[in-house]
């Protein structure tokens, strides 16, 4: 590992970085995109997205053939993005009724939906169990609810238990699923095994996100396999083990001062850690003359993050109280929520006009925390300059807020420099469509504005 470059830290301990310039994406000029679709604008590269999922899937299937990728909807559930990944063979990994309904509406069959999340209520559970979705149980009340659905239907509902435990290499996420160390996981397994209306189908864990150490996965997989062997001692057979998501992207996490290329292991190193632990941990099946179970993984950010960029424009300039240049942009935390924990790389769409200086990038919101970068090396900016922020594909469009500003459009570049709108920019009609004005307010609203006495101008 290279030594940490201390001179790259400013007095706030935040990463300073130098911006390069980039004027097009997949051969399409940024200026043309903004002319046609406005600014700010999210730009998605179909070519990059397909290359990413192929590389990631190949890293796994080269080591073990029976691997399924579940596309994590919450990471980016734009219909075009999901459809590309389903075309590539990914199943849907959903965590809510909305996401389940969206996957079905996009044509994903129930049997290809992995249903996670802590809030699955009876109506959607009834639908998902009837449609053969893989139900991943989060807690004991949910397990009881599924059992009562099975009882009503006089059948055994297959269930997978989500587990949480220490890996020794990652921060423990204990709020989702059944805890292994406390005994809650074994109690739930026992409940499933002794119920006439439930059947053990698999085991699941999702140990965290942006996991920087492949050994965390090796440990998690070994834990799942050991437990699977224990569960199967009485003749029970699990159809799969699901090791969740959490693979990192090439983004720059705040607080990690190495550049992403140095801080982040390659996808192949994760696939190697996961598959070799899996092959070792499931060899007990071969000794019995049986096949290994299926391996499922649910990668989100590693698949989409670098396939989407955000174009934003400079709307004004300022100087901070301590004399540094600052720019006000038309996109802020409303469009780039993950700026709270990433130092997203920023590029200029046009060639630099002067020497880079330590610059602050403000968003458009009337909120003090609306800062996209606290410190980034940028040449002097002018009103109308376009900046390209990337990677932004993971957790930004889905977490973007309709707060103060309209949310931007999302386009897809595909084929030979073709561009398609895949989400329209919001306007007054779209934002206000769900509102209802009660009758006693509808007629008077306009009239009462007219009745307000105009302010008397005094002085002079
Ligand atoms: C969010 C989530 C994922 C995707 O996580 P990434 O870190 O984006 O890979 C996968 N599985 C579950 C259960 C999740 O909640």
């Amino acid at each position: 590992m290279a030594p940490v470059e201390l001179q790259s830290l400013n007095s706030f301990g935040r990463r300073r970085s130098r911006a390069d310039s980039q004027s097009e994406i997949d051969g399409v000029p940024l200026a043309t995109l903004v002319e046609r679709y406005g600014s700010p604008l999210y730009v998605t590269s179909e070519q990059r997205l397909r290359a990413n999922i192929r590389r990631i899937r190949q890293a796994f299937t080269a080591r073990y053939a029976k691997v399924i990728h579940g596309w994590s909807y919450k990471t980016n559930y734009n219909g075009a993005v999901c459809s590309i990944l389903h075309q590539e063979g990914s199943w849907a990994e959903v965590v809510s009724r909305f996401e389940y309904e969206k996957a079905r509406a996009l044509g994903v069959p129930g049997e290809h939906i992995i249903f996670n999340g802590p809030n699955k209520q009876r109506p959607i559970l009834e639908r998902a169990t009837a449609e053969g979705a893989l139900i991943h149980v989060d807690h004991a009340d949910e397990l009881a609810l599924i059992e009562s659905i099975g009882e009503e239907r006089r059948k055994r509902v297959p269930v997978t238990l989500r587990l949480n435990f220490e890996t020794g290499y990652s921060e423990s996420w204990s709020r989702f699923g059944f805890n292994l160390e406390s005994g809650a996981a074994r109690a739930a397994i026992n409940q499933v095994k002794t119920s006439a209306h439930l059947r053990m189908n698999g085991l699941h864990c999702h140990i965290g996100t942006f996991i920087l150490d492949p050994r965390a996965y090796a440990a998690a997989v070994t834990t799942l396999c050991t437990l699977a062997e224990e569960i199967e001692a009485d003749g029970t057979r699990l159809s799969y083990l699901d090791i969740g998501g959490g693979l990192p992207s090439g983004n720059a996490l705040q607080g990690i001062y190495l550049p992403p290329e140095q801080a982040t292991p390659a996808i192949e190193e994760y696939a190697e850690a996961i598959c070799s632990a899996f092959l070792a941990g499931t060899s007990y099946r071969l000794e019995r003359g049986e096949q290994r179970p299926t391996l499922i993984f649910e990668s989100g950010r590693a698949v989409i993050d670098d396939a989407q960029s955000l174009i934003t424009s400079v709307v004004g300039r300022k100087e901070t109280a301590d004399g540094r240049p600052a720019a006000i942009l038309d996109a802020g935390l409303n469009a780039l929520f993950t700026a709270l924990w990433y130092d997203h790389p920023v590029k200029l769409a046009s060639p630099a006009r002067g020497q880079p200086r330590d610059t602050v990038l403000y968003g458009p919101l009337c909120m003090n925390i609306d800062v996209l970068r606290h410190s980034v090396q940028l040449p002097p900016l002018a009103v109308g300059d376009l900046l390209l922020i990337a990677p932004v594909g993971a957790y930004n469009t889905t977490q973007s807020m309709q707060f103060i500003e309209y949310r931007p459009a999302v386009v897809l570049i595909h084929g030979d420099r073709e561009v398609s709108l895949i989400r329209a920019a919001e306007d007054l009609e779209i934002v206000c469509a769900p509102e209802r004005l009660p009758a006693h307010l509808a007629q008077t609203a306009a009239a009462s504005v007219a009745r307000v006495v105009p302010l008397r101008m005094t002085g002079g």
Side-chain angles (χ1 to χ4, degrees):
M1 266 207 207
V4 178
E5 290 175 53
L6 286 174
Q7 69 272 23
S8 72
L9 304 184
N10 67 9
S11 53
F12 300 99
R14 294 185 189 267
R15 186 197 325 262
R16 271 186 190 177
S17 48
R18 186 171 290 269
D20 316 318
S21 71
Q22 178 179 339
S23 61
E24 51 180 49
I25 296 175
D26 291 353
V28 182
L30 306 186
T32 309
L33 289 168
V34 166
E35 261 163 46
R36 275 168 66 184
Y37 301 100
S39 172
L41 181 68
Y42 298 103
V43 185
T44 321
S45 165
E46 178 166 340
Q47 187 191 318
R48 177 58 79 92
L49 181 55
R50 288 191 191 272
N52 286 353
I53 185 60
R54 287 175 191 176
R55 173 179 169 189
I56 295 174
R57 183 179 288 108
Q58 170 67 16
F60 282 86
T61 53
R63 293 167 170 88
Y64 181 59
K66 274 198 321 196
V67 171
I68 287 166
H69 172 244
W71 168 240
S72 158
Y73 265 43
K74 76 173 187 291
T75 309
N76 190 324
Y77 41 60
N78 180 280
V81 166
C82 295
S83 300
I84 290 168
L85 291 165
H86 295 320
Q87 266 187 4
E88 291 287 334
S90 298
W91 291 12
E93 187 274 326
V94 304
V95 292
S96 67
R97 172 184 156 202
F98 157 61
E99 291 187 359
Y100 187 90
E101 290 177 350
K102 181 145 194 182
R104 292 291 291 121
L106 288 171
V108 182
E111 312 93 75
H112 290 180
I113 300 180
I114 301 156
F115 199 175
N116 284 306
N119 175 28
K120 310 183 196 78
Q121 297 183 21
R122 189 173 192 109
I124 195 65
L125 271 175
E126 284 179 346
R127 176 175 180 190
T129 49
E131 292 177 344
L134 308 182
I135 311 288
H136 288 193
V137 186
D138 178 71
H139 55 267
D141 286 320
E142 188 185 320
L143 192 58
L145 185 53
I146 299 168
E147 193 170 14
S148 76
I149 293 172
E151 186 174 5
E152 213 172 79
R153 296 212 190 113
R154 295 195 179 78
K155 58 176 283 218
R156 280 178 189 271
V157 181
V159 290
T160 293
L161 299 181
R162 176 166 181 173
L163 308 178
N164 68 72
F165 45 80
E166 298 287 341
T167 68
Y169 298 97
S170 56
E171 189 195 328
S172 173
W173 274 20
S174 58
R175 67 166 278 189
F176 300 110
F178 298 89
N179 183 259
L180 188 58
E181 291 88 0
S182 73
R186 283 193 175 80
I189 291 165
N190 208 39
Q191 186 184 339
V192 175
K193 282 190 166 193
T194 53
S195 166
H197 309 293
L198 297 170
R199 179 169 67 73
M200 280 296 297
N201 196 25
L203 294 176
H204 173 248
C205 68
H206 172 62
I207 56 174
T209 191
F210 220 104
I211 304 286
L212 283 168
D213 193 339
R215 290 175 298 180
Y217 285 100
V221 171
T222 302
T223 300
L224 285 191
C225 292
T226 307
L227 195 60
E229 186 174 3
E230 184 185 317
I231 290 169
E232 294 191 350
D234 67 356
T236 303
R237 286 297 170 268
L238 301 179
S239 39
Y240 65 93
L241 301 179
D242 182 335
I243 48 115
L247 303 181
S249 69
N251 223 328
L253 267 183
Q254 289 171 6
I256 292 183
Y257 296 108
L258 288 173
E261 320 79 77
Q262 289 172 46
T264 312
I267 289 298
E268 288 73 15
E269 293 179 49
Y270 291 91
E272 179 58 34
I274 291 166
C275 293
S276 54
F278 179 84
L279 292 175
T282 53
S283 62
Y284 72 91
R285 283 274 189 102
L286 305 188
E287 287 153 21
R288 291 200 216 117
E290 296 173 6
Q291 289 197 353
R292 290 187 163 96
T294 296
L295 173 64
I296 300 182
F297 73 107
E298 305 169 341
S299 220
R301 72 172 71 247
V303 174
I304 186 71
D305 211 12
D306 68 1
Q308 202 167 60
S309 314
L310 177 69
I311 306 176
T312 171
S313 310
V314 175
V315 296
R317 291 168 300 174
K318 283 209 163 170
E319 197 169 90
T320 62
D322 60 1
R324 292 182 299 148
I328 304 161
L329 307 176
D330 60 4
L333 289 179
N334 54 324
L336 203 69
F337 193 64
T338 62
L340 290 174
W341 47 93
Y342 287 128
D343 286 336
H344 293 97
V346 180
K347 291 178 179 175
L348 210 60
S350 47
R353 281 184 219 93
Q355 286 307 307
R357 284 185 63 196
D358 186 7
T359 306
V360 184
L361 297 178
Y362 293 126
L365 307 180
C366 282
M367 277 179 73
N368 203 36
I369 64 160
D370 188 27
V371 180
L372 285 194
R373 288 298 303 269
H374 290 268
S375 172
V376 58
Q377 291 287 317
L378 282 174
L381 297 172
V383 171
D385 277 353
L386 299 181
L387 298 180
L388 186 67
I389 304 183
V392 307
Y395 302 102
N396 284 302
T397 53
T398 47
Q399 293 187 104
S400 66
M401 282 176 278
Q402 194 285 299
F403 176 54
I404 302 180
E405 296 281 339
Y406 295 127
R407 276 179 290 195
V410 187
V411 296
L412 180 75
I413 303 182
H414 55 100
D416 180 18
R417 284 167 291 177
E418 285 173 70
V419 184
S420 297
L421 186 65
I422 58 172
R423 182 179 160 96
E426 288 176 344
D427 58 16
L428 188 65
E429 201 183 332
I430 291 173
V431 173
C432 296
E435 289 190 17
R436 302 290 180 269
L437 208 51
H440 73 286
L441 300 175
Q443 285 84 30
T444 52
S448 59
V449 171
R451 272 203 309 275
V452 171
V453 183
L455 284 175
R456 270 261 299 285
M457 302 297 284
T458 53

